[in-house]
């Protein structure tokens, strides 16, 4: 699952997925739209429920900061695949 929030200048993107070992990974990217400024953090969740709880926390924080949700997609959708591709570019930067 991929969820993206944006404000006028900034974005936050969350990707929740399982790795090849079955562990749940919570990845969060953030930065300024149209620039290279930002960051990327990966966290290992105890289970899917914990990753979803973290997602709810991020959603609450971003909404309170005036961000709006612009994308919520599964990894296997065209939008999800595009967002995962962009996320992997950040991981290699």
């Amino acid at each position: 699952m991929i969820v993206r929030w944006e404000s006028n200048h900034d974005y936050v993107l969350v990707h929740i997925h399982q790795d090849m070992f079955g562990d749940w990974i919570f990845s969060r990217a953030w930065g300024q739209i149209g620039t290279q400024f930002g960051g990327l953090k990966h966290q290992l969740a105890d289970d899917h429920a914990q990753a979803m709880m973290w997602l709810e926390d991020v959603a609450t924080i971003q909404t309170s900061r005036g961000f709006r949700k612009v994308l919520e997609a599964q990894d296997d959708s065209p939008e999800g695949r595009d967002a995962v591709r962009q996320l992997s570019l950040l991981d290699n930067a």
Side-chain angles (χ1 to χ4, degrees), residues 61-82:
I61 292 167
Q62 298 316 316
T63 301
S64 72
R65 292 178 176 171
F67 283 64
R68 63 198 176 287
K69 187 190 305 183
V70 296
L71 173 69
E72 182 169 343
Q74 297 302 317
D75 294 355
D76 57 357
S77 70
E79 299 87 2
R81 284 193 298 270
D82 186 47

Side-chain angles (χ1 to χ4, degrees), residues 1 3 13 16 18 22 27 29 34 41 44 49 51 56 59 70 78 83-84:
M1 166 181 271
V3 183
L13 184 138
I16 297 172
Q18 279 186 292
S27 301
K41 182 178 181 180
L44 179 63
E56 290 175 22
V70 296
V84 169

Side-chain angles (χ1 to χ4, degrees), residues 19-46:
D19 65 10
M20 68 168 98
F21 304 108
D23 293 325
W24 286 98
I25 309 299
F26 183 90
S27 301
R28 183 170 44 96
W30 62 92
Q32 293 178 346
I33 296 171
T35 72
Q36 295 290 326
F37 298 111
L40 176 63
K41 182 178 181 180
H42 303 287
Q43 293 175 267
L44 179 63
D46 292 335

